Amino acid sequence: MDELIKAMKIAFATEYGFAVKAQFCHWNVTGPEFPQYHALFDTIYSEVYGSIDSFAENIRKLGSYTPGSFQRLSMLSQIDEDIEVPPAMTLVAGLLEDSEKCARLFKMVYDLAEREGKHGLSNFLAERMDAHDKHSWMLRSILK
């Protein structure tokens, strides 16, 4: 169970980091397609933020506490921070890479949850993988 709890905390921090990065993209995108990118990034970060509380509750259901400081979240997250504001297509490509990273991480945690018999958690993680598959599809479509 300790392995699953540790993996869930990493997944939680990574999802939180992804939401922050998507909001960074929303706030800072520029260029001729600004309205479309601005709206897409809003859709993505809003959907992901909507999952954060459920993520935290799933960690609590495992009998552990949820990381809550920016420092701890940053230490656990697998999402790299953007310091500079890149061009719109670079923002899209970076967010796509991170969305796919989230889906892969959630699959690994899903497998741990299944091994522990935590099928409700598995269902939650499957939904998060599906959400990231949709985000990735939309982002990938822009890059074609």
Side-chain angles (χ1 to χ4, degrees), residues 16-143:
Y16 200 96
F18 180 84
V20 169
K21 189 168 189 174
Q23 192 166 38
F24 170 86
C25 294
H26 170 75
W27 287 336
N28 293 297
V29 68
T30 59
E33 286 92 24
F34 167 80
Q36 294 88 345
Y37 292 138
H38 187 71
L40 175 62
F41 295 145
D42 176 61
T43 298
I44 292 172
Y45 88 75
S46 295
E47 188 283 324
V48 175
Y49 269 132
S51 75
I52 296 300
D53 193 58
S54 294
F55 241 115
E57 289 172 357
N58 274 291
I59 292 170
R60 295 294 290 133
K61 287 192 288 186
L62 294 173
S64 190
Y65 291 100
T66 303
S69 72
F70 286 121
Q71 181 180 12
R72 184 73 176 133
L73 290 167
S74 180
M75 288 171 46
L76 292 169
S77 178
Q78 295 184 358
I79 304 297
D80 294 326
E81 291 185 46
D82 283 329
I83 305 301
E84 301 294 322
V85 178
M89 293 305 279
T90 305
L91 287 172
V92 170
L95 205 57
L96 170 59
E97 181 181 319
D98 289 334
S99 182
E100 291 173 339
K101 185 184 295 182
C102 286
R104 287 190 304 272
L105 173 61
F106 299 163
K107 172 64 169 101
M108 187 267 305
V109 182
Y110 173 93
D111 291 341
L112 290 172
E114 281 292 290
R115 192 169 67 209
E116 292 288 338
K118 299 294 184 183
H119 305 298
L121 176 56
S122 300
N123 290 341
F124 170 75
L125 291 164
E127 290 174 3
R128 296 311 311 141
M129 285 185 281
D130 188 57
H132 277 280
D133 286 346
K134 183 175 181 179
H135 300 320
S136 295
W137 156 63
M138 290 181 175
L139 294 164
R140 194 177 303 106
S141 294
I142 293 170
L143 296 173

